[in-house]
């Protein structure tokens, strides 16, 4: 039951119905595509559409930043230092006269890339631990459970700080630290999910039909465990961007003069009394990213179920 | 449950058994955390003698290095050093800071109260905000009311993802640089200086708690016990106060332990941003200087604070929810965290 419903959700929400439309006549294909798009839009709702637009903007900023901001993010113009936001410099300029808007656009690739990499590490470690605890022998489950419980006693940033202390400050260290600090959350979620799928009716039915353990695992347990992960990982990238930028803000991640958003905040913090735009706009980019990915992740989750 | 409990003085009293389990879990957490932190920091390389003698650039002679190693016990084998550290954690004598040359326990005693005050104030403010928004949203009627409720819902989602470093910066720009109402830097218990850091910490937590609270309040308002209370002629406020609110705040109570942890995460950022001394700043500085005794001490204190808060959460849950009161089972190691997993806790946590 659940599996069927989830498959349908995937077909309706994910592909947007463009697959079948391609095979029809042009007019009908257009109508079907429009109907499919309409269904997706209705599924997303107004906040979801806004979030999708924001994510689209960021995707363009990552792939082709020059389309949104043609200038050089590191171009120094000492005469234009500390220009407040206005025509010509929408987000103002920094202490070296660099355009803040151009730097925010060009910093998207670094910030989102680091956030996505940290999420991949967190989800990867969570997958290993979650599946091992969910499907492994009881002693392994108990051992992993104990370790996770101790890790939960340490707040994410404290855990990340510890890892940075071990690995030394830097981009790679901050990615690893945030990935490892978020892994316990994923592991716990996945363990619960694996458990509930492995003991569900359709898995039992597949076993009764005589399918071997590897088949059941690959055909039923893995897909039904991983599908909810799409929504959770989308949410997670937004959170990871915030944590990674927090480390950069504290001076432990990416360092200025990189246009990574946390590093921009770190550099602009000194001038907060005189040049508010140096902290407010990069921080706005982080906040919009986190909010958009959260709304989108939840929508995807809601459509899926 | 009681019938199958083994004989023993502690077991016959559920609360005592519960307390012992909690103390045991606290000791286990402290031991694991101290062990992991000690070996991780020592394995990371970097000679602690450098931290003692003033950082990597120090020009200390070999005699000074040898003297410092002997003074801090660094000439002993690593296992001996570990056992010494562990004994110190167990006896609450955490040794001397490498960088500051004062006892770690003095440093912690100095920095802990400010951070705890900040965290407790922020948690209280977050609860007030979340409760106000959730009850308003649930009670909203009519097109205008429902539009406001939808707007509040959106505000909660955005509030929950607000990064501390950005919210704090915006508050400084608006209320300090522009309006001049509150100072941008503060220390101690100065009430005016506490306002901006507290609000910065409270708003994201309020967003999370508000969402959870609204969901469970709506669920409670539709539950049979609420319908029967209304059928008996109770006023809407009476139903809310006597029946649905108690039910509605339960998941938020469970989540408060996690919320407290996220406040301590936030304290590192907020104390840096507002230039406040505190546990977060101490941990950050010690991390950068590889001041092992201070990092061990601060992290153990943070972990123990979490265990204590979880204990309080457990007590509060039992007071609020009569269904839990008869239950004498030993809670899981850090019980609330496990239970919250099923209680709509956001999957990705701070």
């Amino acid at each position: 039951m659940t599996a069927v419903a989830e498959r349908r959700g995937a077909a309706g929400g994910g592909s947007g119905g463009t697959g079948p439309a391609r095979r029809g006549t042009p007019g009908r294909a257009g109508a079907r595509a429009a109907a499919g798009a309409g269904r997706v839009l209705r599924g997303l709702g107004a906040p979801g559409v806004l979030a999708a637009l924001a994510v689209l903007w960021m995707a363009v900023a990552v792939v082709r930043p020059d389309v949104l901001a043609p200038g050089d993010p590191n171009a120094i113009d000492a005469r234009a230092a500390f220009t407040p936001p206005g025509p010509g410099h929408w987000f103002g300029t920094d202490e070296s006269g660099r355009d803040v808007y151009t730097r925010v656009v060009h910093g998207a690739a670094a910030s989102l890339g680091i956030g996505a990499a940290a999420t991949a590490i967190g989800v990867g470690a969570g997958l290993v631990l979650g599946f091992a605890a969910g499907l492994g022998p009881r002693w392994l489950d108990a051992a992993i459970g104990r370790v996770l419980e101790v890790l939960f006693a340490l707040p994410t940033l404290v855990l990340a700080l510890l890892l940075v202390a071990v690995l030394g400050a830097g981009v790679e260290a901050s990615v690893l630290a945030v990935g490892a600090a978020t892994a316990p959350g994923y592991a716990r979620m996945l363990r619960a999910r694996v458990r509930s799928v492995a003991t569900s009716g359709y898995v039992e039915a597949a076993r009764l039909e005589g399918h071997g353990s590897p088949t059941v695992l690959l055909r039923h347990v893995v897909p039904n465990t991983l599908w909810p992960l799409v929504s959770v990982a989308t949410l997670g990238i937004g959170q990871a961007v915030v944590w990674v930028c927090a480390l950069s803000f504290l001076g432990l991640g990416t360092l200025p003069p990189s246009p990574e958003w946390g590093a921009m905040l770190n550099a602009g913090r000194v001038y907060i009394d005189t040049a508010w735009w140096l902290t407010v706009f990069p921080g706005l980019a982080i906040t919009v990213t986190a909010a958009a990915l959260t709304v989108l992740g939840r929508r995807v989750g809601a459509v899926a179920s | 449950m009681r019938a199958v409990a083994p004989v023993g003085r502690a077991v016959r009293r559920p609360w005592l058994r519960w307390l012992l389990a909690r103390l045991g879990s606290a000791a286990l957490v402290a031991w694991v955390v101290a062990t992991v932190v000690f070996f991780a920091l020592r394995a990371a390389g970097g000679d602690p003698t450098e931290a003692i003698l003033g950082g990597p650039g120090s020009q200390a002679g070999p005699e000074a290095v040898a003297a410092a190693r002997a003074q801090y016990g660094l000439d002993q084998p690593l296992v001996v050093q570990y056992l010494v550290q562990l004994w110190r954690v167990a006896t609450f004598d955490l040794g001397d800071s490498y960088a500051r040359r004062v006892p770690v326990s003095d440093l912690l005693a100095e920095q802990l109260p400010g951070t705890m005050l900040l965290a407790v104030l922020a948690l209280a403010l977050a609860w007030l905000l979340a409760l106000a928004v959730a009850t308003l949203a649930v009670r909203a009627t009519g097109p205008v009311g429902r539009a406001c409720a939808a707007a509040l819902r959106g505000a909660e989602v955005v509030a929950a993802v607000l990064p501390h470093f950005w919210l704090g910066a915006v508050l400084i720009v608006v209320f300090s640089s522009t309006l001049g109402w509150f100072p941008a830097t503060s220390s101690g218990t100065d009430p005016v200086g506490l306002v901006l850091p507290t609000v910065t910490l409270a708003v994201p937590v309020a967003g999370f708690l508000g969402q959870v609270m609204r969901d469970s309040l709506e669920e409670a308002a539709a539950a049979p016990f609420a319908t029967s209370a209304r059928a008996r002629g109770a006023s809407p406020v009476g139903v809310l106060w006597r029946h649905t609110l108690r039910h509605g705040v339960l998941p938020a109570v469970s989540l408060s332990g996690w919320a407290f942890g996220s406040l301590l995460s936030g304290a590192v950022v907020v104390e840096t941003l507002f230039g406040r001394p505190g546990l977060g700043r101490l941990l950050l500085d010690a991390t950068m200087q590889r001041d092992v005794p201070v990092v061990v001490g601060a992290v153990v204190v943070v972990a123990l604070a979490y265990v204590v808060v979880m204990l309080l959460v457990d007590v509060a849950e039992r007071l609020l929810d009569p269904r839990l009161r008869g239950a004498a089972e030993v809670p899981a190691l850090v019980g609330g965290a496990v239970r919250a997993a099923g209680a709509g806790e956001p999957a990705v946590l701070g």
Side-chain angles (χ1 to χ4, degrees):
Chain A
M1 269 277 288
T2 331
V4 175
E6 279 173 1
R7 293 269 164 70
R8 276 200 198 131
S15 66
T18 46
R22 218 173 281 144
R23 264 173 268 134
T25 56
R28 283 182 70 192
R32 277 207 202 161
R39 205 162 54 232
V40 171
L41 286 182
R42 245 174 287 125
L44 283 176
V49 171
L50 274 180
L53 285 177
V55 171
L56 194 69
W57 189 88
M58 273 156 221
V60 176
V62 169
V63 182
R64 288 289 306 275
D66 49 311
V67 172
L68 296 169
D72 175 4
N74 293 317
I76 290 175
D77 178 5
R79 281 166 305 160
F82 295 121
T83 311
H89 298 290
W90 294 4
F91 289 0
T93 62
D94 67 6
E95 71 277 10
S96 310
R98 293 172 294 196
D99 183 55
V100 175
Y101 171 76
T102 310
R103 288 175 66 70
V104 166
V105 170
H106 285 261
S111 311
L112 288 171
I114 292 172
T119 310
I121 291 172
V123 169
L127 272 175
V128 172
L129 289 173
F131 268 87
L135 299 174
R138 191 174 285 187
W139 61 265
L140 189 62
D141 184 25
I144 292 176
R146 284 283 148 113
V147 172
L148 290 183
E149 277 161 16
V150 172
L151 286 179
F152 278 120
L154 296 178
T156 308
L157 200 56
V158 173
L159 203 54
L161 275 184
L162 266 181
L163 291 162
V164 169
V166 172
L167 302 166
V171 183
E172 295 86 2
S174 68
V175 169
L176 265 176
V178 171
T182 49
Y186 292 115
R188 186 174 63 183
M189 188 215 95
L190 282 164
R191 180 200 167 272
R193 182 76 197 163
V194 168
R195 272 291 159 98
S196 82
V197 170
T199 54
S200 65
Y202 55 86
V203 167
E204 203 181 332
R207 278 192 209 286
L208 287 176
E209 277 174 30
H211 295 296
S213 281
T215 318
V216 173
L217 192 68
L218 286 178
R219 284 237 190 103
H220 299 281
V221 178
V222 170
N224 284 300
T225 308
L226 293 192
W227 173 241
L229 205 59
V230 175
S231 137
V232 174
T234 313
L235 284 160
I237 292 176
Q239 280 296 307
V241 168
V242 171
W243 290 122
V244 167
C245 287
L247 285 179
S248 301
F249 168 79
L250 294 171
L252 298 170
T254 315
L255 293 172
S258 161
E260 194 254 358
W261 297 335
M264 288 179 73
L265 278 170
N266 185 21
R269 186 155 62 96
V270 189
Y271 307 106
I272 193 160
D273 280 336
T274 48
W276 53 269
W277 53 91
L278 295 185
T279 32
V280 167
F281 288 117
L284 187 66
I286 298 167
T287 309
V288 168
T289 305
L293 288 172
T294 303
V295 170
L296 210 62
R298 286 191 185 186
R299 281 288 133 195
V300 169
V303 168
S305 56
Chain B
M1 270 296 173
R2 279 192 179 183
V4 293
V7 188
R9 195 179 293 163
V11 183
R12 258 181 260 135
R13 299 197 186 113
W15 64 268
L16 193 58
R17 189 170 143 169
W18 170 81
L19 193 67
L20 282 176
R22 281 312 172 103
L23 287 177
S25 91
L28 184 73
V29 165
W31 172 62
V32 174
V33 166
T35 305
V36 169
V37 173
F38 178 83
F39 281 109
L41 284 180
R42 292 306 297 274
D47 189 349
T49 337
E50 273 182 0
I52 299 169
L53 296 170
S58 72
Q59 300 287 319
E63 300 87 23
V65 170
R69 290 179 71 88
Q71 189 193 341
Y72 286 85
L74 293 168
D75 48 354
Q76 309 276 339
L78 197 62
V79 179
V80 175
Q81 292 183 37
Y82 165 68
L83 290 175
V84 167
Q85 181 73 61
L86 213 56
W87 176 250
R88 284 177 171 163
V89 170
T91 52
F92 294 101
D93 161 33
L94 296 162
D96 286 359
S97 157
Y98 290 161
R100 305 189 195 206
R101 312 284 183 102
V102 288
V104 175
S105 43
D106 287 4
L107 279 176
L108 289 175
E110 199 180 291
Q111 307 295 346
L112 193 62
T115 303
M116 288 299 151
L117 177 71
L118 196 60
V120 168
L121 281 178
L123 191 59
L125 180 63
W127 260 88
L128 275 179
L129 284 173
L131 208 54
V133 170
T135 44
L136 281 179
V138 169
R139 296 201 54 207
T141 48
V144 180
R146 248 169 278 147
C148 288
L152 280 178
R153 193 165 308 182
E156 279 172 350
V157 173
V158 174
V161 299
L162 278 180
H164 294 116
F165 48 79
W166 187 63
L167 178 60
V170 169
L171 290 177
I172 287 177
V173 166
V174 174
F175 293 101
S176 178
S177 309
T178 311
L179 296 170
W181 290 358
F182 302 103
T185 55
S186 62
S187 61
T189 55
D190 166 37
V192 183
L194 269 169
V195 172
L196 293 185
T198 307
V199 172
T200 306
L201 276 177
V203 167
V205 171
F208 266 123
L209 292 181
Q211 293 176 49
V212 175
M213 239 182 246
R214 184 166 34 74
D215 285 351
S216 62
L217 271 178
E218 275 167 5
E219 190 186 298
F225 64 80
T227 314
S228 84
R230 275 191 292 271
R232 288 198 305 271
S235 67
V237 176
V239 174
L240 180 72
W241 187 245
R242 271 197 224 107
H243 302 280
T244 51
L245 201 56
R246 177 188 275 252
H247 189 279
V249 297
L250 267 176
V253 170
S254 307
L255 263 179
S256 288
W258 160 79
F260 191 78
S262 106
L263 289 173
L264 291 182
S265 270
V268 180
V269 169
V270 165
E271 285 171 1
T272 305
L273 184 64
F274 288 92
R276 284 180 69 84
L279 196 62
R281 274 281 288 286
L282 183 70
L283 181 62
L284 181 63
D285 293 345
T287 301
M288 293 211 234
Q289 294 165 333
R290 285 181 196 267
D291 196 342
V292 180
V294 176
V295 177
V296 172
V299 172
V300 168
V301 163
V302 167
L304 287 181
Y306 178 83
V307 173
V308 169
V309 168
M310 277 312 198
L311 200 124
L312 294 177
V313 164
D314 218 58
V315 171
E317 276 180 330
R318 273 154 202 261
L319 286 177
L320 278 169
D321 192 344
R323 288 169 298 185
L324 287 174
R325 255 175 245 165
E329 87 273 28
V330 178
L333 182 58
V334 184
V338 181
R339 206 167 325 110
E345 185 173 357
V348 184
L349 292 178

